[in-house]
Amino acid sequence: MSDAAERARADADAAVAAAEKAQADAEAALAHARQLQAEAAAAAAAAAAAADSAPEAGAESAAKPSTTAADGPLGLDDVERIRSGYAFDGPALEMGALVNGEALADVPVRIPLAMLNRHGLVAGATGTGKTKTLQVLAEQLSAAGVPVFAADVKGDLSGIASPGESSAKLLERTRGIGQNWSPQAAPTEYFALGGKGTGIPVRATVSGFGPLLLSKVLGLNDTQESSLGLVFHYAEKAGLPLLDLADLRSVLTFLVSDQGKPELADLGGLSSQTVGVILRELITFADQGADEFFGEPEIDTAEFLRVASDGRGIVSLLELPGVATQPALFSTFLMWMLADLYNDLPEVGDLDKPKLVFFFDEAHLLFRDASKDFLASITQTVRLIRSKGVGIVFVTQTPKDVPSEVLAQLGSRVQHQLRAFTPDDAKALKATVSTYPSSGYDLGAVLQSLATGEAVVTVMNEKGAPSPVAWTRLRAPRGSMAPTPQEAMDQTVAASPLLARYGTAIDRESAREILAAKLEGAAETARAASEAAAAAKEAAAAQKAQAQDQARAAKQQAKAQADYERQQREFERAEKAQRQEASRTRSTSRSTPRSTRSSGSSGSMIEDLLTSKSSQRLVADVAKGIFGTLLRRR
């Protein structure tokens, strides 16, 4: 046999053993109930005989209400102990009536209103009535003037805003537990994260969320958390509003760029690797829906503490469609809201009634895959926010969904039916039973046999001690058990006084736009500098070319001047030679008569000089030099 088959067989054997044990426990409970039934019958017979012999005593006895049912698991002493255990002096929420075989309308089970800030847990398998229990508690809190906040994960809690519908079956049930039922709607306000869904948009800014809380939500280590704190510090000093995740990403990217690195040089700077990790976590966070939550206008958490004009507390329902696929968004909102309330509310100690009670349905979504830092933060908040007058009630399927550190802070427990179909379920059932105070019940059997709308209850009494464990048939909600129609919800949102303030998203100038403008200005300055350098270079080149042209012109002018001077000298020499020759000719003519031949020879020599090619070339050059120079000088 393979290991898998052996494990399967072992699991099956364990399941059979658990079932056999449950059956044995049930049979033992049945036997005990029959014994009690017989004892009750005997007691009734004895009471009848005593009544016949002592009419006065019989009348006195008849004035007392019935304290036990014929087939209940509890004796008279147990019933009386439960009766006195839930008889509080101050105002209390009516949970229902004790079940001892049948419901005992004269033994009410209640929760002291003043103890709601000690927190609580409503647990049970799917379909056992947890949401309706939440609705019953929220309705009574509202009627007592206590504002309520509830996360409506599945959308079926919205019926609290509509009056319920009467039926014969409903009235029969409520009469059996002493509830004088009548329909009534509670004053309700709908909210939606980022406006996704039906309700007033709920948003918060990144700066308002803060670096510590954001670090815990992102699961950053100490180094990364310190770096993120430095980024927030820089953004505040530099006047860079961090409104949404895009703003934070922009600042992170800027501070590791060439332009931004000098900004934090005096503070140690940022590691590119650290910034890379934070940016990746922010992208994942945004993909989980967080982008919808961050922005403006940021909601004031004091809006959840409002009371209607008739004195009833307003029930704020946060519609969370699709939260099962976005647990980080749900967790983020819870963390921010509780932290914001804790920071804003004053210390009040123990009050006659809470300032606000939170109900968080599907609480396992809050803790699933949560980091250690996140769990530590939740535990600390649950422990400390009590002194601010705020109560928290977690609603989930099994107590094991809530970390033990948080469970230890809860004062009241309402446990609906638990199922033990697998070995793990059997272990969870056994662990749950072990956490209850001792009682007259076989809780292992009772918790599996609870009907829909029944629960095992224990609360913290007015002295801070746990009340007796009571099998309770719970009251019916006065609001609708079906969701409020969408049209009615839309009308409620449209008529809300909060819509004008929070309905429209605001996209004012923030870090992203400021840094973009700064980088664009730097780029424009760089372009202008580059263009100025290019223009200067071009001007220098032109100036150089002009200087070269002037040098060439001067050189040519000098050369022409030299040619002119040379030609001038040659002309002057030729002219001088001509004058000398002419002088000699005149001297010869005066001193000696010349023959015709000599005269002819002299004229022929001058003619030859003027008509020779060299003389003509000399005269042309001289004329060219004279007239060319004159033209240039002119």
Side-chain angles (χ1 to χ4, degrees):
M1 185 180 295
S2 65
D3 292 342
E6 288 180 358
R7 285 195 299 271
R9 181 175 179 179
D11 291 343
D13 291 342
V16 170
E20 290 175 348
K21 182 179 182 304
Q23 182 179 1
D25 292 339
E27 291 175 352
L30 180 59
H32 181 60
R34 287 173 177 169
Q35 180 182 356
L36 292 175
Q37 181 181 15
E39 293 175 355
D52 292 339
S53 60
E56 294 181 0
E60 182 180 352
S61 176
K64 294 182 180 180
S66 172
T67 57
T68 183
D71 58 349
L74 300 178
L76 293 177
D77 292 341
D78 292 329
V79 173
E80 287 301 322
R81 188 165 58 88
I82 291 174
R83 185 197 305 278
S84 62
Y86 288 91
F88 306 120
D89 296 332
L93 306 184
E94 299 291 341
M95 295 294 297
L98 176 69
V99 175
N100 193 30
E102 293 296 333
L104 304 180
D106 60 333
V107 186
V109 177
R110 312 157 76 211
I111 299 179
L113 185 60
M115 292 294 106
L116 261 296
N117 68 341
R118 303 301 177 93
H119 316 313
L121 172 70
V122 177
T126 301
T128 57
K130 298 188 303 295
T131 303
K132 300 312 169 190
T133 299
L134 188 162
Q135 187 171 341
V136 167
L137 295 174
E139 287 176 349
Q140 294 189 57
L141 284 166
S142 173
V146 178
V148 172
F149 177 90
D152 189 11
V153 176
K154 299 187 293 292
D156 50 2
L157 191 56
S158 62
I160 197 173
S162 303
E165 295 183 2
S166 178
S167 67
K169 183 178 180 181
L170 173 65
L171 294 177
E172 179 184 1
R173 185 183 191 280
T174 55
R175 280 194 299 266
I177 60 175
Q179 179 183 6
N180 185 17
W181 188 89
S182 62
Q184 186 181 47
T188 305
E189 191 82 73
Y190 299 102
F191 294 90
L193 287 183
K196 183 180 180 182
T198 302
I200 304 301
V202 174
R203 305 181 184 90
T205 62
V206 171
S207 57
F209 201 73
L212 297 180
L213 192 56
L214 186 59
S215 297
K216 288 179 171 56
V217 172
L218 296 177
L220 303 181
N221 60 30
D222 292 342
T223 301
Q224 294 156 357
E225 179 179 330
S226 174
S227 297
L228 189 60
L230 184 60
V231 173
F232 273 71
H233 171 78
Y234 165 74
E236 182 179 1
K237 295 298 182 183
L240 300 174
L242 298 177
L243 304 183
D244 53 27
L245 294 181
D247 290 326
L248 182 55
R249 289 194 294 266
S250 296
V251 174
L252 284 166
T253 303
F254 170 73
L255 290 176
V256 293
S257 67
D258 292 339
Q259 298 93 330
K261 284 181 179 179
E263 299 285 345
L264 295 180
D266 295 339
L267 300 177
L270 287 176
S271 165
S272 299
Q273 291 79 3
T274 298
V275 170
V277 171
I278 297 175
L279 286 172
R280 287 191 293 272
E281 293 297 334
L282 285 174
I283 291 172
T284 302
F285 190 38
D287 291 342
Q288 293 173 342
D291 263 340
E292 301 165 1
F293 173 57
F294 290 104
E296 282 190 320
E298 181 176 84
I299 196 159
D300 184 355
T301 51
E303 306 289 2
F304 303 126
L305 280 72
R306 294 181 300 139
V307 177
S309 59
D310 59 2
R312 291 186 295 167
I314 293 179
V315 178
S316 300
L317 291 184
L318 179 67
E319 300 297 311
L320 292 170
V323 72
T325 60
Q326 298 176 330
L329 180 59
F330 180 48
S331 303
T332 299
F333 170 75
L334 171 64
M335 288 286 289
W336 169 77
M337 190 171 183
L338 292 180
D340 194 68
L341 282 170
Y342 181 78
N343 290 329
D344 292 348
L345 293 177
E347 292 281 345
V348 293
D350 292 327
L351 301 174
D352 293 337
K353 62 182 181 181
K355 287 186 174 182
L356 176 70
V357 175
F358 277 84
F359 290 92
F360 289 100
D361 200 4
E362 304 296 334
H364 64 280
L365 297 176
L366 173 65
F367 300 106
R368 187 175 64 189
D369 301 327
S371 65
K372 291 182 179 179
D373 286 339
F374 180 83
L375 294 178
S377 180
I378 282 286
T379 303
Q380 182 182 22
T381 301
V382 170
R383 182 185 299 116
L384 298 178
I385 204 169
R386 177 188 67 81
S387 63
K388 306 283 188 172
V390 177
I392 303 174
V393 178
F394 297 100
V395 184
T396 188
Q397 294 186 3
T398 68
K400 70 178 184 180
D401 292 333
V402 181
S404 58
E405 296 85 355
V406 176
L407 280 176
Q409 307 299 321
L410 308 183
S412 300
R413 295 175 61 182
V414 180
Q415 179 65 64
H416 288 264
Q417 183 192 121
L418 284 177
R419 296 161 185 159
F421 295 151
T422 67
D424 287 341
D425 291 340
K427 290 179 181 178
L429 175 61
K430 184 176 180 180
T432 300
V433 170
S434 67
T435 62
Y436 278 90
S438 60
S439 67
Y441 298 108
D442 179 1
L443 284 178
V446 171
L447 288 175
Q448 295 181 81
S449 61
L450 291 171
T452 301
E454 294 182 348
V456 170
V457 178
T458 179
V459 303
M460 183 177 289
N461 65 24
E462 293 168 318
K463 296 180 180 180
S467 66
V469 177
W471 178 350
T472 307
R473 184 164 297 167
L474 299 168
R475 289 196 164 208
R478 299 178 67 185
S480 174
M481 296 190 189
T484 294
Q486 184 64 44
E487 182 180 355
M489 294 174 63
D490 292 338
Q491 291 175 354
T492 300
V493 174
S496 172
L498 302 180
L499 187 62
R501 181 176 179 184
Y502 301 107
T504 303
I506 299 174
D507 187 17
R508 65 182 175 93
E509 186 180 57
S510 56
R512 178 179 52 180
E513 291 81 10
I514 293 173
L515 287 177
K518 182 176 182 179
L519 293 175
E520 179 63 27
E524 184 65 29
T525 302
R527 283 195 297 271
S530 177
E531 291 174 358
K537 183 177 180 180
E538 184 177 350
Q543 186 175 4
K544 181 179 179 181
Q546 183 179 4
Q548 290 175 345
D549 291 342
Q550 290 176 350
R552 283 194 297 270
K555 184 177 181 181
Q556 291 175 355
Q557 184 176 359
K559 182 176 182 299
Q561 184 68 23
D563 290 342
Y564 166 74
E565 292 175 354
R566 177 178 56 78
Q567 293 170 358
Q568 184 69 18
R569 288 192 298 272
E570 290 179 353
F571 178 78
E572 290 175 351
R573 283 196 299 271
E575 188 178 14
K576 182 179 179 180
Q578 186 177 3
R579 286 196 299 270
Q580 291 175 351
E581 183 63 27
S583 177
R584 283 195 300 272
T585 302
R586 287 193 297 272
S587 300
T588 303
S589 298
R590 286 193 301 266
S591 59
T592 305
R594 298 193 177 273
S595 62
T596 305
R597 189 174 178 275
S598 298
S599 299
S601 297
S602 174
S604 177
M605 184 177 66
I606 294 172
E607 183 179 359
D608 289 342
L609 176 63
L610 293 176
T611 58
S612 67
K613 289 182 178 182
S614 59
S615 297
Q616 290 176 354
R617 195 161 44 246
L618 177 61
V619 171
D621 287 341
V622 169
K624 181 179 178 181
I626 292 172
F627 292 110
T629 300
L630 290 175
L631 287 174
R632 282 195 300 272
R633 290 180 179 175
R634 184 179 303 168

